[in-house]
Amino acid sequence: MPREGRSSTYILFSLTRHAPFGTPRSLAADDRNFDTSRAMAERPKQQEFNSLTPFCRMLERHVDGAGGTCSVALASPSRGVHPLMYLTVPFERAWHHRELIRAVVRRELKSRFRGSLLGWVWAIAAPLVMLLAYTFVFSIALPVQAQNISITEYAGNIFCGLIVFNLFSELAYRAPMLLHEHAAFVKKSIFPSEAIAWIASIRAFVYAGISFVVLLVFRIVTAHWLPVTIVLTPLVILPFALFMLGIVWFLMGLGAFTKDVAHLMVSIVPIMMFATPIFYTFDQIPAQFVPWLKLNVVGDYIDMLRALVIHGQLPDLLMYVVCIVVSYCIFISGYGFFMRYKSVIVDVI
Amino acid sequence: MSSDVVISCRNVGKAFQLYTNYNDQLKQALLGFWKKFYNQHWVLKDVSFEVGKGERIGIIGRNGAGKTTLLQIICGITTPTTGKVAVQGRIAPILALGAGFDGSLTGRENARIGGAILGLKRNEVERRLPAIAEFAGIGLFLDQQVKYYSSGMVARLAFAVCAHADADILIIDEALAVGDEAFQAKCERFVEEFARAGTILMVSHSLDYLRAVSDRLLWIDEGKVRAFGDPEGVIAEYRAAIASEPVAAGA
């Protein structure tokens, strides 16, 4: 990507209702009180900048336009910022933009059913119809040997896998074109483009949540019990959300430069569908392929969700920890990638 | 008017990469390390100026001179290639007609989202909606979808939202020209009152309007600051420069 011409260091910093990012305590401070004496903070000089690690440099260039705010020099060691703070930067930015994210998500959810007569009924009817269709297909029309589990449990397994996978595929398909959709917002208003990822993800998770509730009701009606482990579901959903956010940021950034990414997704996602254990379980796969399939993070999440929701067992702890670490790494690196190229994207869209 | 510096630009330069073919962009991405496939076009060159609190600054210049790019840089939407910009305070920009608006939503909903973009909390926006509605003066159309608005109505709504956003700096880019006389008068009154506490940057091609409203005028010519000072003087220079250019041969 074109990077010529940056001969001198450049800063864009502005201060608004909150003090510069480099002072952690200021984040918690009331938005309206900001210390004007810290206002015109200086950027670290060139030699300090070069001594920072690449990751810090990446965060250093973080510029965001909402309300004229910008975070500067959060990576400079001379400011005494604890390195661990880098891990929470995306959350803090999202919290800062929470009103905006909430407003846009709310209107996106409302507008989906605007102009339709049945409105929210569709949100529930659609997954329900799909679930019943799968039950019918796999029990009556196409009796597949279901390994000593009941048909409804088998359908529940499939549906569980489908909820997660549809979430993944919806975001994977939408992400590359998200910035093009919101081109006017990005170029001509002080809209923080990284918030678009949060908005799209929250919307997808809300729809998935509705399907999940339909699944639970289905299980109660057919199996008359819900395992106690269901309460642990958020512990699996949250890392998955982080994973998806990282993916969305990557795809959004790449898709802004070239629409080939969108076409690539059309090819990749169906292949992913076969590589994830939605319609089968790992036991049905020859042993030499299983380790490769386990590399598929989405598949691992489906496995864990099934264990919690359908079977009432705790998932494998090692797999859980590995998934969390991998998801968090993807989250942070996706964010870093996007923020690093954000200003270039604005010029290119 | 205090003398605090609110906006400070020092040697700001902005370059865009112009590609002749779409394929060149891909070639640049792959082979960029060894060869350059683009033309570097400097839209802003060495722009330096300072704006104090409470000043009303008008910006004039030809089309393509770099005014909108400069405003984008000040707003933080894009970063300068060289130089430094420092801005102190909350910005409420109107950079393009209806840029932050979603046509399929009503004016009221767009006002809510617009308020959220500018940093207002939801209940603050709710409280101000009647005032915004009154300022915009579009009546019952506030509850109609924005795609049915005329351009003047869009401009009025956008300005109404920015006016009530508790901003320290108001940046208006050529978007208010579509308002009618009554609205222009309303804007002028608002700008006067706003300038007691806040700063305003306005881009306009209506030189008389700027002469009446601004304290200082910034003339951007081909990416450079050609003049920055008293409105009368700058307008005279600007008009002289335009008059002395050869008239383009046209139909």
Side-chain angles (χ1 to χ4, degrees), chain A residues 40-107:
Chain A
M40 290 298 203
E42 286 296 334
R43 186 185 196 237
K45 300 184 191 50
Q46 183 64 22
Q47 57 270 31
E48 284 182 43
F49 178 67
N50 285 332
S51 71
L52 299 172
T53 66
F55 186 64
C56 302
R57 250 175 280 167
M58 181 166 69
L59 291 175
E60 171 108 1
R61 291 203 184 102
H62 173 173
V63 169
D64 122 65
T69 71
C70 172
S71 38
V72 93
L74 37 80
S76 164
S78 60
R79 287 171 161 267
V81 173
H82 198 280
L84 275 184
M85 225 184 88
Y86 310 139
L87 299 179
T88 54
V89 161
F91 294 113
E92 271 139 12
R93 299 314 300 162
W95 182 251
H96 174 59
H97 297 306
R98 65 190 182 281
E99 292 288 336
L100 177 60
I101 293 175
R102 203 171 83 173
V104 182
V105 168
R106 191 190 284 244
R107 71 98 172 155

Side-chain angles (χ1 to χ4, degrees), chain A residues 252-304:
Chain A
M252 242 178 25
L254 289 175
F257 291 110
T258 161
K259 292 192 182 147
D260 294 333
V261 179
H263 300 141
L264 202 64
M265 281 298 121
V266 173
S267 301
I268 288 183
V269 171
I271 297 180
M272 277 286 285
M273 188 166 197
F274 290 118
T276 22
I278 303 173
F279 297 106
Y280 54 85
T281 54
F282 282 129
D283 324 331
Q284 293 168 299
I285 302 291
Q288 68 256 39
F289 294 124
V290 173
W292 294 108
L293 285 181
K294 290 225 169 189
L295 283 178
N296 183 356
V297 180
V298 181
D300 291 337
Y301 276 108
I302 293 178
D303 217 28
M304 290 195 279

Side-chain angles (χ1 to χ4, degrees), chain B residues 30-49:
Chain B
L30 298 173
L31 311 170
F33 190 66
W34 297 282
K35 193 176 160 189
K36 212 169 73 155
F37 289 92
Y38 55 86
N39 291 326
Q40 184 95 311
H41 177 63
W42 287 89
V43 170
L44 291 174
K45 302 165 199 159
D46 208 23
V47 169
S48 302
F49 63 93

Side-chain angles (χ1 to χ4, degrees), chain B residues 201-216:
Chain B
L201 265 68
M202 285 171 293
V203 171
S204 179
H205 293 288
S206 161
L207 299 176
D208 299 320
Y209 177 74
L210 285 183
R211 183 195 289 130
V213 159
S214 38
D215 298 325
R216 285 198 285 170

